[in-house]
Amino acid sequence: MMQNVHLAPETDEDDLYSGYNDYNPIYDIEELENDAAFQQAVRTSHGRRPPITAKISSTAVTRPIATGYGSKTSLASSIGRPMTGAIQDGVTRPMTAVRAAGFTKAALRGSAFDPLSQSRGPASPLEAKKKDSPEEKIKQLEKEVNELVEESCIANSCGDLKLALEKAKDAGRKERVLVRQREQVTTPENINLDLTYSVLFNLASQYSLNEMYAEALNTYQVIVKNKMFSNAGILKMNMGNIYLKQRNYSKAIKFYRMALDQVPSVNKQMRIKIMQNIGVTFIQADREKMKKAFQKLITVPLEIDEDKYISPSDDPHTNLVTEAIKNDHLRQMERERKAMAEKYIMTSAKLIAPVIETSFAAGYDWCVEVVKASQYVELANDLEINKAVTYLRQKDYNQAVEILKVLEKKDSRVKSAAATNLSALYYMGKDFAQASSYADIAVNSDRYNPAALTNKGNTVFANGDYEKAAEFYKEALRNDSSCTEALYNIGLTYEKLNQLDEALDCFLKLHAILRNSAEVLYQIANIYELMENPSQAIEWLMQVVSVIPTDPQVLSKLGELYDREGDKSQAFQYYYESYRYFPCNIEVIEWLGAYYIDTQFWEKAIQYFERASLIQPTQVKWQLMVASCFRRSGNYQKALDTYKDTHRKFPENVECLRFLVRLCTDLGLKDAQEYARKLKRLEKMKEIREQRIKSGRDGSGGSRGKREGSASGDASYVDPLGPQIERPKTAAKKRIDEDDFADEELGDDLLPE
């Protein structure tokens, strides 16, 4: 046994931690088989008995055992080293943490195990925060500032801009108080920059919306100049917008470019918007330049003294001098200069009015106000007439009529021009009574106004008095030989009067003035057709096609003329082109279907007759033609189905029943007898109906003959709608057909001469 006992070597008494690094052979497991004490412990129950200090938390070493007198006896460790906390040679060993959490010495006295200290009862309540503490005041102020910013935004969204601005100002004041308090309590680095940014940005936005641009710019400057705000440079775009509203275009472009420099290239959408703003600003700057140029134009002095042409006294000599200089070369030069100045002013106003403001009406209003304040006051009314004509081009007739009715109450020259345009408007609206009334006003105001005379002739033409209409057109031409409307309309009048040579002469003269006018070319071709000269008509229609190659009416007319001449191939070509551009002309469809029947292409004829049945579904003849084409092509089953379908839609059609009886008989179908009975019944009903009609005519014929006396019995049929005539030209352009050129806009023909 002594071989397992090892004495601790002598060490220096001053080394309190000696012996901890010594190797204990008891841990050598290779010698456990030779260790008699270990083997004895394994064989007996002594090794399985629990230690007597199991209820006490301890370390790997033994604890001192208390004696009855309160003294403690230290037990030696099994490895022979001094016990932790024991006194060795008068020196106390260092203590280690040998006491586990939740265990106390009371456990030795039989106290209950309570590691969570539940027996102590509930914890004492938390100490309430003091509301008057600086931190709480700061948090409360932050909450109030955020609420004010939100209320400002809500008021803005509701349209209450004034309330939104007041809330934004309150938020700004409280935010400054918050900053001062925070600087007193904490360091400046702890200031809430996001809150400051949102308050300033909202305040600047509300200033801008309330058109307080100076205050908005100052607030934006505060944000932009503060280096602590990141990405604040983008707000320079907002500053550019404000300068644009103030029409300070140079500064607006400057700030837009500064904002563009601070936007990264990856943000493409923002850069595109900024560049768009720069382009708009350049356009706005051009608008201002145009306005300034127009204002300079109307201030150019003409240096014309109109007073010297008015005789100041009854002195005969002075009157003679005045009369002599009224038409001399100097006076003519002054008139030319004034006319040139007025022409330049009117042309400039027409050019800039649609672009200098948001709408052409606002642009014209600006030009009118500027002209009224200048020496060219009389041009203001002409600008108003141009404004009305622009409304006509935009098909806003109500606005045009409203302006013209106001001008119609002014002096004679303006009154004549306004009444002329009103007459043309009412004529195009087929209100011939109003058109005639305003035409009379225009003629009475200015007898030398060719447009007024032309419109008066139009109203007479509409009433069928062609000779009187020709007189008005001739008078208009005497006043202005270049009045193309009057020349065109007098050609139509001669055509109605069957004076074809005079009509042709008028249109040829007009063709010399308007070389590429499709209307004039068509009328010349029409007159040659009336003169039974189809070759010349075709030649002139070919010129019309060269001007408007997609007009379906002109193409169908060419096909008709070639068909009369017997040239079926050329007729088919032009009819087919007309059908291609306008596949709803029933006459063209009928001709093409008949052409394929004549050439025995039944299948191709079917598609045209089917389209005709879609256009006119109540006409039975198209469906009968489809069935007939199927029958002639040998497709009897399809023909039978088509006849049956036609019979269901038109059960009283005799022709359909006849074809059904014939076809069913040829095919040996039992339905032939049923259809034959229906046909017989229908024919009998038709015969009875005709007899009743005939007896009714015979009964009333004698009395009518007695009433009419010697009147002719062959009374011709009169169309209740009256003759269909071509409408003459108003001061607007005349069209070949009202539908062919329906989308053309009115020209300047309505303007006074």
Side-chain angles (χ1 to χ4, degrees), residues 82 120 186 198 274 276 281 381 407 442 452 515 563 588 715 737-738:
R120 297 180 182 178
T186 61
S198 62
I274 295 175
Q276 182 180 1
T281 308
N381 294 326
L407 295 174
R515 300 295 300 178
D563 187 29
V588 174
D737 187 89
E738 295 299 326

Side-chain angles (χ1 to χ4, degrees), residues 7-22:
L7 298 177
E10 295 182 358
T11 59
D12 190 2
E13 295 180 354
D14 296 333
D15 188 5
L16 300 179
Y17 295 91
S18 61
Y20 285 94
N21 295 326
D22 295 337

Side-chain angles (χ1 to χ4, degrees), residues 490-663:
I490 198 173
L492 290 179
T493 306
Y494 284 137
E495 183 179 336
K496 292 299 180 183
L497 294 172
N498 202 25
Q499 300 177 12
L500 300 181
D501 293 333
E502 290 81 356
L504 181 61
D505 185 56
C506 290
F507 286 119
L508 289 175
K509 288 180 180 179
L510 193 57
H511 175 62
I513 301 173
L514 307 174
R515 300 295 300 178
N516 294 322
S517 174
E519 304 165 335
V520 177
L521 294 171
Y522 185 86
Q523 291 299 331
I524 294 173
N526 185 44
I527 292 176
Y528 275 120
E529 182 185 1
L530 294 175
M531 297 173 70
E532 298 181 356
N533 191 345
S535 60
Q536 284 292 327
I538 291 174
E539 181 180 346
W540 285 96
L541 283 176
M542 292 297 292
Q543 296 187 41
V544 178
V545 172
S546 66
V547 177
I548 42 173
T550 60
D551 190 303
Q553 183 182 358
V554 176
L555 293 171
S556 64
K557 191 66 176 178
L558 272 171
E560 179 185 349
L561 290 174
Y562 275 116
D563 187 29
R564 291 180 189 174
E565 293 293 303
D567 193 344
K568 294 289 184 181
S569 60
Q570 286 289 340
F572 170 76
Q573 177 184 350
Y574 287 107
Y575 270 124
Y576 181 77
E577 288 295 314
S578 176
Y579 172 79
R580 191 164 64 91
Y581 290 117
F582 185 64
C584 297
N585 190 332
I586 200 68
E587 295 178 356
V588 174
I589 294 173
E590 184 177 10
W591 191 93
L592 289 172
Y595 173 80
Y596 281 117
I597 289 177
D598 292 341
T599 55
Q600 297 184 358
F601 288 99
W602 318 109
E603 293 82 0
K604 291 186 177 181
I606 289 172
Q607 62 177 343
Y608 293 101
F609 292 129
E610 286 179 343
R611 178 171 288 276
S613 66
L614 293 175
I615 298 172
Q616 295 180 344
T618 59
Q619 295 291 329
V620 67
K621 68 176 182 178
W622 305 122
Q623 301 187 32
L624 292 177
M625 291 299 297
V626 172
S628 177
C629 290
F630 280 124
R631 180 170 55 84
R632 294 184 182 184
S633 64
N635 193 345
Y636 298 109
Q637 185 60 43
K638 192 69 175 177
L640 180 63
D641 294 339
T642 306
Y643 279 128
K644 287 181 178 180
D645 184 62
T646 305
H647 177 64
R648 283 193 295 270
K649 294 179 180 178
F650 305 94
E652 296 184 358
N653 186 268
V654 177
E655 294 296 328
C656 182
L657 280 173
R658 286 176 182 171
F659 283 115
L660 277 172
V661 171
R662 184 186 305 175
L663 192 58

Side-chain angles (χ1 to χ4, degrees), residues 147 230 241 256 330 385 464 501 543 611 647 702 707:
E147 290 177 352
S230 60
N241 293 339
Y256 283 143
L330 180 60
I385 293 177
D501 293 333
Q543 296 187 41
R611 178 171 288 276
H647 177 64
R707 288 194 304 267

Side-chain angles (χ1 to χ4, degrees), residues 363-414:
Y364 269 109
D365 291 339
W366 183 88
C367 292
V368 169
E369 293 300 323
V370 173
V371 169
K372 284 182 178 179
S374 68
Q375 56 184 328
Y376 303 98
V377 182
E378 64 276 4
L379 295 181
N381 294 326
D382 294 338
L383 287 176
E384 291 285 355
I385 293 177
N386 287 336
K387 182 180 176 182
V389 173
T390 307
Y391 274 123
L392 289 177
R393 290 173 178 161
Q394 296 182 353
K395 302 185 185 304
D396 192 348
Y397 301 114
N398 294 330
Q399 289 287 343
V401 170
E402 182 180 350
I403 295 174
L404 291 173
K405 284 186 176 180
V406 173
L407 295 174
E408 188 260 336
K409 299 176 182 179
K410 296 191 176 182
D411 60 69
S412 60
R413 188 179 65 85
V414 178

Side-chain angles (χ1 to χ4, degrees), residues 9-297:
E10 295 182 358
T11 59
D12 190 2
E13 295 180 354
D14 296 333
D15 188 5
L16 300 179
Y17 295 91
S18 61
Y20 285 94
N21 295 326
D22 295 337
Y23 178 77
N24 192 344
I26 196 171
Y27 295 109
D28 188 3
I29 61 175
E30 295 179 356
E31 298 295 328
L32 289 179
E33 295 180 356
N34 300 325
D35 191 343
F38 178 80
Q39 295 297 329
Q40 180 65 26
V42 172
R43 288 192 296 269
T44 64
S45 61
H46 177 76
R48 295 189 296 273
R49 188 175 301 169
I52 60 175
T53 60
K55 293 183 179 181
I56 303 174
S57 174
S58 63
T59 63
V61 298
T62 58
R63 295 179 61 86
I65 301 176
T67 62
Y69 297 96
S71 63
K72 298 180 181 178
T73 304
S74 176
L75 297 180
S77 173
S78 62
I79 61 175
R81 67 172 183 169
M83 180 179 174
T84 304
I87 301 175
Q88 181 181 5
D89 299 331
V91 180
T92 304
R93 292 284 295 171
M95 295 294 292
T96 60
V98 297
R99 177 178 170 184
F103 292 90
T104 61
K105 294 181 180 180
L108 299 174
R109 296 190 292 271
S111 61
F113 179 71
D114 189 13
L116 300 179
S117 301
Q118 296 179 0
S119 60
R120 297 180 182 178
S124 59
L126 296 175
E127 183 179 359
K129 295 183 179 180
K130 297 180 180 181
K131 294 184 179 180
D132 296 335
S133 64
E135 291 79 5
E136 287 300 317
K137 289 182 178 180
I138 290 173
K139 290 182 180 180
Q140 186 63 27
L141 272 176
E142 284 186 351
K143 183 178 179 182
E144 292 177 2
V145 171
N146 282 317
E147 290 177 352
L148 286 171
V149 172
E150 291 177 1
E151 291 174 2
S152 175
C153 296
I154 293 172
N156 183 16
S157 63
C158 295
D160 194 347
L161 301 180
K162 185 176 180 180
L163 179 60
L165 179 59
E166 293 298 327
K167 294 292 184 181
K169 289 181 179 179
D170 292 342
R173 285 191 289 267
K174 288 196 174 184
E175 193 274 336
R176 288 192 292 272
V177 174
L178 173 62
V179 170
R180 287 195 295 268
Q181 290 189 5
R182 191 179 290 276
E183 288 177 350
Q184 294 175 1
V185 175
T186 61
T187 59
E189 289 77 8
N190 295 327
I191 296 176
N192 191 345
L193 292 176
D194 293 337
L195 181 62
T196 304
Y197 182 89
S198 62
V199 170
L200 292 174
F201 179 72
N202 180 61
L203 180 60
S205 300
Q206 301 305 330
Y207 275 134
S208 178
L209 292 173
N210 283 272
E211 297 183 357
M212 301 173 65
Y213 299 130
E215 292 82 355
L217 289 172
N218 292 334
T219 308
Y220 278 127
Q221 285 288 357
V222 172
I223 302 175
V224 171
K225 290 183 178 180
N226 194 335
K227 302 299 182 182
M228 300 179 69
F229 295 136
S230 60
N231 298 325
I234 194 64
L235 295 181
K236 292 180 180 179
M237 184 175 66
N238 293 16
M239 299 175 70
N241 293 339
I242 293 176
Y243 282 120
L244 180 60
K245 292 178 181 178
Q246 292 180 332
R247 299 187 177 183
N248 191 344
Y249 302 113
S250 59
K251 281 195 174 182
I253 294 172
K254 175 183 176 182
F255 276 90
Y256 283 143
R257 287 175 173 171
M258 292 170 66
L260 185 64
D261 293 338
Q262 299 200 8
V263 175
S265 58
V266 294
N267 197 344
K268 294 182 179 179
Q269 292 296 328
M270 180 61 71
R271 293 181 64 87
I272 289 173
K273 290 181 179 179
I274 295 175
M275 288 188 286
Q276 182 180 1
N277 286 5
I278 294 174
V280 170
T281 308
F282 275 118
I283 294 174
Q284 294 287 350
D286 290 339
R287 290 179 178 176
E288 290 299 317
K289 292 179 181 178
M290 286 189 285
K291 287 184 176 181
K292 292 180 180 178
F294 185 76
Q295 290 173 339
K296 290 181 179 179
L297 177 64

